[in-house]
Amino acid sequence: VRSQALNTHPSIMVDKEREATTLSSIRTEEELDRAYADFNRSGNAILESSVPDVDAPGGKIQDLESATALLRSTSYRQTMLAAKTTCELLTERVAAVRQEATSDLADIDRDATENYPLLLPVALRCLLDLPQPHKHEQLHSYVLQSIRCLVELFAHASHRVYTSLDELEHHAASVYQHDFMEDDVPTPPSGACCDKSAAPLSVAQELEDSPVDGALYATNSSAETAKKDGEAFYADPLWTLLSRMRVIPCLSRIIASLHRQSQLPEEITSSICAILSMLSLRSPGAACAIAQHETLLPQLVNISLTPGASYGETKESFIVSPSVALSSLVLLCTLARQSRTVASQTEPFASIMTNLFAILGIPAENEMELAVQKSCLILWRILLRYGLAIPHLSTFISLATPHLSIKNETEFSLTADYLSAFTNVCECAKIITRSKTQSSVRLTGDQADTLAMAGAWLSPHVRKCAEFLSEQTSNYSSFSTDQSNMKLVGARLRFLLSYVAASAPTDILKLAAIEEETSGIKISGADKSSFVSVVSRRTCISSLDAVLKSGLVESSLHFVMMYAYVSEWKDTSRRHNVADADSKGSLRQEASACSLLVAFVSLLSNIVNNESIFDDGQGTAKETRDALSIASDFKLMVSFSLRTISHFPPPEAPSLARAGWIDAAQYSIVKLLCSAKQIAPNDGFELQQVRAMAYALLGRLQVGDEAMAAVLLSQDILFTTPTFKGEEGEALPLQAMLLRELCNSQKSRGQLDHSFKLHKGHGITTAGNGPFGLESLRSEADYVAPPRKADEGVNDDLSDPIIPLGKCWLWQVLSSTVSPPPEASAQQRSMLLVDAAAVIISSLELLSCMEDNFGSSSRHYTAQISAGTKLYHLSNSCLFPEEVLRDEQFESLFSSLFVCITSETQGSTMVRASMAKAYVEACYCHSRINRSKKDEDDAEKEKLLALLDGNVRPADDFSTKEVTALVDFVGDMCSAYTEYGAQYEALNYCMRLLLLPGFPSKARVEVLTKLRGLLHLLTFQNEMGDLAGESMSKALEVALDGSHREPSEVLNAFADALSSRGINDNARRLDAETGGYAYFIAIASLARSYSCSLRSKETGAVEAAKKRMERIDDEATTHILKVADRLSANEEDDGKAVVKCVLDVIVREKN
């Protein structure tokens, strides 16, 4: 490859005779490297001939454009200068964007591509292919730091990884592990992180560009592909580095070279580890490739985590270089989270344990060394989540003893971190001791022996935990509620709960019947009759009481309850918020507060609900009273927080990780309040508070939270209504429907099972292996669709998952569909429609109750959804089959809810316009479910039309796609109105709404045209009895809001409704005697327009009005002229004045 580059490179004029002499003298690979370096000192075989002259006054480069040009220079000094400058400039840009972020670094947005040279990433990548990497250590340091900065600027927020101490404390994903003390860091679905605009690689390209060891990017690239690679990098930097730039073998070559020199500089290590970590987050397959690479991780671990290893000229006082070790541990933790396959690798995860013991055995003397030790424990904790590394428990207990014997948190204490790891050991034991069926877990002999002794080994520590909780928090006046104490108390409560939940005889596994199998030891059963509690119920209650009275719980609630009614996180709010003065402390304290709440509420819930974690049945009467007293006091704290929530500032939008710990804390609170019957909400206001909080939380839950959704959806109290109370085992319709949707396919069932295991449950399968069956700590389960046969129908496994539900989920139930299968019998179809009617009635009752209680508060669930969105989904319920609309409750519930919502819009013209805008947007978003492919096909067409029209949006401020979607919906509504014979008042409400000013003219004309002959039926029965009464007046004032002049197409449609098209026209025209509501608004609109035209002396408008009246009936023409005359005389044309004139002329004066 290299000799070919020497012969064909266009920018190097090679003397043939000298070349032949050189080639004939090469005998070894070192001589080949030396010859290659002589001919191509920059190592860059791409676009060197295009390097322009660059001005560098004083030897300094001022911008990235110039630096990028010099990166391709044949002069090594110029290349070095350009690399240094590029590194400095990009570091400054990263620092600048971090300054604009909130307390969470995940809030940083992607930078603008136009601010960066297209060939910059290509030029940087080429420099990594220099021969003999150990000779270019400084250059590679600059290049790797630059690439890392570019990735941080352009990668998806969830893929960013930080390796320095200060960055870790500001990054929510890291804080999630360090302070929330969980390792299933929330991540978005893989499809949500990809730039759809980036063209996927073809099969041929994938094969050609696969990351094969030894492939050199520079000498296999050309000027033709350079721009494409640059564009691909800015669209998706990590995927481009992985697939097109072959960065994994490149980095392994650099590490191997430095490994031979027994040195790994901090800048190179941190950059390589960060890049590899981000690659593993971008693609689980990349994580496997990195972990299974023959030399990459073993050499990196050997040089960074081996005690006493050499690190160049610096002599470290700690057993390893803290900065280098921290970077490597962050990489290992990130890789292990991606899959069980990666975590099960012997190299490095099994062999690294002795290194971890050595690191943990030396007391830390500063924050950096402490961070290294915490990362060691996090790595072990992650492995425990898979049921791995259990046999090392005894060694870790020995190392932990000095920390666990200290009552209060000290400066360099690891108490909370050890306890969080031991909690995972107890979770593994619980799968065996608490399994309700025969366990199918396969254990090795070492695992079985360790778990058998775990209870005995950990028993003194759990007793101390309970003792310290009671003693430490009992001195309320001097107890601190700072972050470190919150974290420590939370860790102790979690350990206490997990130990008690897993309690069993210390020799439980030896008592079990053991079957030797090739795959390991199978635990087939155990005698649990000799149960002896190490920690009593009374001890746990005392601990909870002390924690509650210490003020920690109340302080923690402050961080959580301000988000109680937030129905969605708005991306626009977080980018302009100023970070707190102590942003690092605020982020960490919030995570610790949520961790404490989850632990406190979970233990309290287990005791109050008597979830069989103790051997003494219900406990004594006093214990029951004490537990209920604690629960009642906690409920009062929550209720007070909800009542005063309006005093808090609007919450900023958190990252996924931060939202994860907030949602987990709120979930535990809602679950306790709903499941504990003794403290369940006992009045309407309390119930609606809890429902609003639960409904908002259900809408926010993301992929990975399906287990929480299933538990919340199983709480009857959240879905009971006056009609459906769930008595005597009666299934609540809405609840049952949502639970079915949660596991309606093989893929969704697999995701639900994965989610339960993520939340430390057994899973939903009969095996119930819990951590022993957990395949990854990612939010999304791995799923491969089974092959589909040609004669099979639609593959249900391809259906969209129900989670996330979205903030409008309860309203969207009304806009769902009922589709009986073609093979369904008449009886089956009838039963399906009965169920559908029950779901709709149940939803309408819940929504009516929520609107009545919270419609006026901007903080609560329903008030965060715009009136237009509500009305759209409510209107959709009229499209259900007639069996649903015929239900005796549907009409009354629909009418009361419709009137309640529209009352919110009885304000200014702007309020009504906003309602119409939200209605149309909701319609368009709903239509995109079935129009997504068509939208992609029509996107380019719409852009061209916009350019030709010179206006992106029509005059009424709606896009073409929005209007099209609304017109289609109006067509469906008109068809339903006609098909059902206009006999349902619910449809009258919908059609009258669509005729209001503010909606697109085309849609309003569609209503008037398609309902021609039926428009007189839009009048309600109570209005027919008194046409000039208050009801009719108010309805007309809404329809004739302000002094709005109707568009000509709407006026033409009104005129058409008042006229007969000819002798053969059988459609009924509107008249004064029976036209009612529709007749009044037609006369009013035409009269007001004519009056305005006369006053403004618009000749063309006056002529157009006269032509309209030529085809209108004489009676209607007379009414129009009389109303117009009065409006012109009074010089008023606002809604009230027009309505008064219309009713006076048509009704009152006639009577």
Side-chain angles (χ1 to χ4, degrees):
V1 172
R2 292 175 181 172
S3 61
Q4 181 183 3
L6 294 175
N7 282 313
T8 60
H9 200 289
S11 63
I12 301 177
M13 303 302 296
V14 182
D15 181 81
K16 295 297 181 181
E17 183 177 351
R18 178 169 168 250
E19 177 187 346
T21 303
T22 301
L23 292 176
S24 63
S25 65
I26 294 175
R27 295 290 184 270
T28 65
E29 185 154 345
E30 288 75 12
E31 291 176 349
L32 176 61
D33 287 340
R34 194 160 42 250
Y36 180 77
D38 290 339
F39 276 93
N40 187 8
R41 293 191 177 277
S42 72
N44 190 0
I46 184 169
L47 298 181
E48 290 178 359
S49 60
S50 63
V51 177
D53 294 332
V54 176
D55 294 329
K60 295 182 179 180
I61 306 173
Q62 306 298 322
D63 56 79
L64 282 176
E65 289 286 351
S66 301
T68 303
L70 285 181
L71 285 174
R72 306 195 302 274
S73 172
T74 55
S75 169
Y76 191 80
R77 290 186 177 182
Q78 288 183 339
T79 302
M80 179 68 79
L81 174 62
K84 179 182 178 182
T85 304
T86 301
C87 179
E88 292 172 349
L89 292 174
L90 291 176
T91 302
E92 290 174 2
R93 294 196 182 189
V94 169
V97 296
R98 287 182 184 178
Q99 288 285 336
E100 299 175 1
T102 64
S103 56
D104 185 359
L105 289 178
D107 291 341
I108 299 174
D109 287 327
R110 283 170 51 92
D111 210 339
T113 308
E114 58 269 16
N115 297 332
Y116 297 83
L118 180 60
L119 296 177
L120 175 58
V122 178
L124 288 170
R125 171 61 187 87
C126 289
L127 292 175
L128 295 179
D129 283 336
L130 286 169
Q132 299 178 322
H134 62 277
K135 294 184 178 180
H136 310 286
E137 179 183 308
Q138 188 60 59
L139 178 63
H140 283 166
S141 175
Y142 291 143
V143 171
L144 288 169
Q145 290 180 74
S146 300
I147 292 177
R148 178 187 177 181
C149 288
L150 281 175
V151 171
E152 180 177 340
L153 290 167
F154 291 97
H156 190 275
S158 65
H159 295 156
R160 297 183 186 125
V161 173
Y162 300 94
T163 56
S164 72
L165 179 60
D166 184 62
E167 292 169 341
L168 290 174
E169 292 176 338
H170 284 80
H171 188 219
S174 303
V175 174
Y176 191 93
Q177 293 186 275
H178 283 267
D179 296 292
F180 188 62
M181 293 178 289
E182 292 290 358
D183 302 303
D184 52 333
V185 182
T187 54
S190 55
C193 305
C194 306
D195 190 335
K196 301 287 195 305
S197 63
L201 299 176
S202 65
V203 175
Q205 286 175 311
E206 289 176 357
L207 293 173
E208 180 185 352
D209 295 338
S210 59
V212 180
D213 282 340
L216 294 176
Y217 175 71
T219 55
N220 283 287
S221 298
S222 65
E224 183 180 353
T225 60
K227 290 184 179 180
K228 292 182 180 179
D229 287 359
E231 292 171 353
F233 182 92
Y234 289 121
D236 193 343
L238 292 170
W239 185 251
T240 305
L241 283 173
L242 182 68
S243 63
R244 300 176 73 103
M245 294 186 172
R246 309 183 187 95
V247 76
I248 292 179
C250 170
L251 296 180
S252 70
R253 194 169 64 91
I254 294 175
I255 291 174
S257 176
L258 295 175
H259 182 259
R260 288 193 291 269
Q261 305 298 318
S262 297
Q263 61 180 0
L264 202 59
E266 178 184 346
E267 293 81 6
I268 292 181
T269 307
S270 62
S271 298
I272 289 178
C273 289
I275 292 171
L276 291 175
S277 298
M278 289 187 279
L279 288 173
S280 68
L281 289 175
R282 173 61 179 84
S283 168
C288 288
I290 294 169
Q292 295 173 356
H293 195 282
E294 186 176 356
T295 61
L296 183 57
L297 283 186
Q299 290 179 345
L300 184 62
V301 168
N302 183 57
I303 201 169
S304 61
L305 294 175
T306 301
S310 172
Y311 300 95
E313 300 178 357
T314 18
K315 178 68 177 174
E316 299 287 349
S317 59
F318 196 52
I319 195 170
V320 293
S321 170
S323 57
V324 173
L326 183 60
S327 299
S328 298
L329 286 167
V330 169
L331 170 61
L332 294 177
C333 290
T334 306
L335 289 170
R337 294 203 327 261
Q338 302 314 302
S339 72
R340 171 182 291 274
T341 303
V342 173
S344 302
Q345 294 292 314
T346 303
E347 290 289 342
F349 295 103
S351 59
I352 200 179
M353 286 300 162
T354 54
N355 295 4
L356 301 187
F357 299 153
I359 294 172
L360 291 168
I362 303 295
E365 298 179 355
N366 55 54
E367 290 291 335
M368 178 63 79
E369 294 173 2
L370 181 66
V372 172
Q373 292 184 331
K374 287 183 177 181
S375 297
C376 291
L377 289 173
I378 288 175
L379 179 58
W380 183 49
R381 195 173 70 197
I382 292 172
L383 298 179
L384 289 171
R385 286 299 307 268
Y386 299 110
L388 305 172
I390 294 174
H392 300 287
L393 175 62
S394 59
T395 306
F396 278 104
I397 289 178
S398 301
L399 294 168
T401 301
H403 297 272
L404 301 184
S405 60
I406 302 173
K407 181 185 298 185
N408 298 313
E409 189 82 347
T410 59
E411 185 179 6
F412 300 119
S413 172
L414 293 169
T415 306
D417 304 278
Y418 273 112
L419 289 176
S420 67
F422 294 155
T423 297
N424 285 358
V425 175
C426 294
E427 294 294 336
C428 292
K430 183 175 68 174
I431 297 299
I432 307 299
T433 62
R434 292 289 172 182
S435 178
K436 295 181 180 179
T437 59
Q438 177 175 319
S439 176
S440 60
V441 176
R442 302 296 194 274
L443 299 178
T444 65
D446 289 342
Q447 285 177 318
D449 292 340
T450 302
L451 287 179
M453 296 303 298
W457 291 341
L458 293 173
S459 60
H461 300 298
V462 77
R463 289 194 189 98
K464 280 187 178 180
C465 264
E467 177 186 337
F468 288 160
L469 282 171
S470 299
E471 292 180 3
Q472 182 187 23
T473 57
S474 59
N475 189 4
Y476 314 132
S477 58
S478 60
F479 186 72
S480 171
T481 58
D482 62 9
Q483 182 268 331
S484 59
N485 271 326
M486 282 184 173
K487 178 180 176 181
L488 179 59
V489 172
R492 282 175 171 161
L493 286 171
R494 284 188 181 215
F495 179 49
L496 184 62
L497 171 61
S498 64
Y499 186 92
V500 172
S503 291
T506 55
D507 57 351
I508 182 66
L509 296 186
K510 293 181 180 178
L511 293 173
I514 298 177
E515 301 175 3
E516 295 290 344
E517 296 187 4
T518 55
S519 57
I521 298 176
K522 177 183 178 182
I523 308 303
S524 59
D527 177 14
K528 303 174 186 178
S529 60
S530 56
F531 182 97
V532 177
S533 290
V534 174
V535 180
S536 67
R537 182 190 296 266
R538 164 53 52 194
T539 302
C540 291
I541 293 174
S542 299
S543 299
L544 288 171
D545 185 55
V547 173
L548 184 70
K549 292 177 179 177
S550 68
L552 277 173
V553 174
E554 189 174 4
S555 298
S556 299
L557 281 172
H558 167 78
F559 290 95
V560 175
M561 300 314 291
M562 70 172 69
Y563 300 93
Y565 298 133
V566 176
S567 57
E568 69 173 350
W569 305 117
K570 296 181 179 179
D571 293 337
T572 55
S573 64
R574 73 184 183 195
R575 299 188 180 105
H576 306 290
N577 287 341
V578 180
D580 297 332
D582 182 17
S583 58
K584 173 184 74 175
S586 176
L587 191 67
R588 297 184 62 196
Q589 189 166 13
E590 183 182 83
S592 299
C594 291
S595 177
L596 185 147
L597 274 178
V598 170
F600 175 86
V601 176
S602 298
L603 181 56
L604 179 60
S605 177
N606 275 272
I607 294 175
V608 171
N609 293 323
N610 193 42
E611 297 181 6
S612 302
I613 63 171
F614 296 98
D615 64 320
D616 55 356
Q618 299 291 333
T620 65
K622 185 178 187 308
E623 289 172 347
T624 302
R625 287 195 304 272
D626 291 345
L628 289 177
S629 176
I630 295 172
S632 297
D633 290 343
F634 177 73
K635 174 188 171 183
L636 288 176
M637 288 183 182
V638 173
S639 181
F640 177 77
S641 297
L642 291 175
R643 289 173 186 269
T644 58
I645 195 171
S646 59
H647 299 300
F648 291 118
E652 64 183 21
S655 61
L656 269 178
R658 190 176 172 198
W661 66 61
I662 292 170
D663 291 346
Q666 289 191 13
Y667 160 76
S668 63
I669 294 171
V670 173
K671 180 187 173 186
L672 172 66
L673 296 178
C674 293
S675 61
K677 296 181 180 179
Q678 302 90 332
I679 63 168
N682 51 18
D683 60 48
F685 183 76
E686 281 188 354
L687 177 59
Q688 298 314 318
Q689 275 187 325
V690 174
R691 280 184 173 176
M693 184 176 174
Y695 293 168
L697 175 60
L698 278 168
R700 292 199 315 265
L701 294 179
Q702 296 295 318
V703 174
D705 296 332
E706 290 81 8
M708 292 196 289
V711 173
L712 291 179
L713 292 174
S714 301
Q715 305 302 320
D716 291 347
I717 194 173
L718 295 177
F719 299 96
T720 54
T721 65
T723 303
F724 304 98
K725 299 182 179 180
E727 297 175 350
E728 300 179 359
E730 179 187 2
L732 297 170
L734 177 60
Q735 184 183 29
M737 183 272 289
L738 291 171
L739 286 170
R740 283 196 305 270
E741 289 296 317
L742 195 60
C743 50
N744 64 349
S745 67
Q746 185 177 343
K747 180 179 180 180
S748 59
R749 287 190 292 273
Q751 179 63 37
L752 183 60
D753 179 68
H754 177 70
S755 178
F756 269 106
K757 291 173 182 175
L758 277 182
H759 291 83
K760 300 186 177 179
H762 289 240
I764 64 172
T765 60
T766 54
N769 293 341
F772 298 98
L774 185 63
E775 292 301 324
S776 78
L777 290 176
R778 290 177 286 113
S779 299
E780 188 177 30
D782 293 321
Y783 175 76
V784 178
R788 187 165 60 93
K789 297 179 181 179
D791 57 346
E792 289 181 346
V794 178
N795 190 352
D796 292 337
D797 290 333
L798 299 180
S799 59
D800 292 332
I802 189 175
I803 300 295
L805 287 170
K807 74 171 183 177
C808 302
W809 66 272
L810 191 51
W811 292 94
Q812 288 169 338
V813 171
L814 302 176
S815 56
S816 55
T817 57
V818 180
S819 302
E823 65 275 9
S825 64
Q827 183 179 4
Q828 290 174 328
R829 184 179 185 277
S830 176
M831 292 178 61
L832 182 61
L833 292 176
V834 169
D835 292 341
V839 170
I840 298 304
I841 298 302
S842 176
S843 301
L844 288 173
E845 285 185 325
L846 286 173
L847 289 169
S848 297
C849 192
M850 296 295 291
E851 288 291 335
D852 289 342
N853 282 277
F854 291 108
S856 61
S857 174
S858 62
R859 287 284 176 184
H860 297 90
Y861 169 66
T862 58
Q864 295 179 67
I865 304 170
S866 65
T869 301
K870 297 175 188 177
L871 290 170
Y872 169 74
H873 292 293
L874 184 58
S875 300
N876 262 274
S877 63
C878 295
L879 296 178
F880 280 102
E882 196 169 4
E883 290 86 344
V884 177
L885 273 66
R886 270 203 307 260
D887 190 286
E888 58 184 13
Q889 291 179 281
F890 179 85
E891 195 80 37
S892 60
L893 287 170
F894 183 98
S895 301
S896 61
L897 187 55
F898 194 96
V899 171
C900 180
I901 298 170
T902 51
S903 64
E904 300 175 20
T905 66
Q906 302 298 319
S908 64
T909 305
M910 186 177 297
V911 172
R912 294 193 180 97
S914 176
M915 179 274 294
K917 180 66 178 171
Y919 189 105
V920 177
E921 287 177 351
C923 177
Y924 172 64
C925 292
H926 189 211
S927 72
R928 290 180 64 188
I929 298 173
N930 298 319
R931 293 172 58 92
S932 57
K933 181 64 176 70
K934 188 175 186 300
D935 285 345
E936 292 176 8
D937 296 339
D938 293 346
E940 199 64 32
K941 178 181 177 182
E942 185 167 334
K943 290 180 182 178
L944 292 173
L945 288 174
L947 291 174
L948 292 173
D949 295 342
N951 189 4
V952 178
R953 304 178 76 87
D956 49 10
D957 201 34
F958 295 102
S959 70
T960 304
K961 289 189 289 187
E962 288 174 338
V963 173
T964 301
L966 183 64
V967 169
D968 291 344
F969 174 68
V970 167
D972 294 337
M973 293 293 291
C974 291
S975 298
Y977 192 87
T978 304
E979 182 181 347
Y980 299 154
Q983 59 181 313
Y984 300 110
E985 285 196 348
L987 279 164
N988 271 4
Y989 280 110
C990 299
M991 306 318 296
R992 283 167 62 152
L993 177 72
L994 291 167
L995 286 175
L996 294 181
F999 283 93
S1001 303
K1002 190 174 181 180
R1004 299 172 68 198
V1005 170
E1006 187 80 359
V1007 174
L1008 293 171
T1009 303
K1010 291 205 169 185
L1011 295 188
R1012 187 171 181 273
L1014 298 175
L1015 292 171
H1016 62 287
L1017 299 174
L1018 292 179
T1019 309
F1020 293 124
Q1021 290 296 326
N1022 64 322
E1023 295 171 344
M1024 289 297 295
D1026 185 7
L1027 290 176
E1030 184 180 0
S1031 297
M1032 180 63 79
S1033 297
K1034 287 185 176 180
L1036 293 176
E1037 287 174 10
V1038 172
L1040 301 167
D1041 176 46
S1043 57
H1044 177 75
R1045 289 183 63 180
E1046 297 286 8
S1048 59
E1049 58 268 27
V1050 175
L1051 294 173
N1052 291 335
F1054 277 131
D1056 195 41
L1058 294 170
S1059 62
S1060 176
R1061 294 177 178 172
I1063 300 175
N1064 298 324
D1065 185 11
N1066 296 322
R1068 179 173 178 171
R1069 64 177 176 82
L1070 290 173
D1071 56 50
E1073 183 177 355
T1074 61
Y1077 174 84
Y1079 183 80
F1080 293 154
I1081 61 171
I1083 296 297
S1085 298
L1086 291 166
R1088 180 163 59 179
S1089 176
Y1090 184 49
S1091 173
C1092 292
S1093 301
L1094 291 173
R1095 290 203 304 270
S1096 61
K1097 298 180 180 179
E1098 297 178 17
T1099 308
V1102 172
E1103 291 301 322
K1106 289 179 179 179
K1107 286 185 178 180
R1108 287 190 198 101
M1109 286 187 284
E1110 287 177 0
R1111 66 177 193 264
I1112 296 176
D1113 181 73
D1114 292 342
E1115 181 186 36
T1117 303
T1118 302
H1119 289 154
I1120 292 172
L1121 293 175
K1122 285 185 177 181
V1123 173
D1125 287 342
R1126 295 193 182 191
L1127 291 176
S1128 299
N1130 298 330
E1131 295 187 354
E1132 289 183 345
D1133 56 4
D1134 65 301
K1136 288 187 177 181
V1138 174
V1139 171
K1140 184 178 183 305
C1141 289
V1142 168
L1143 294 180
D1144 285 346
V1145 169
I1146 303 175
V1147 182
R1148 298 187 181 107
E1149 293 181 2
K1150 178 181 178 181
N1151 294 338

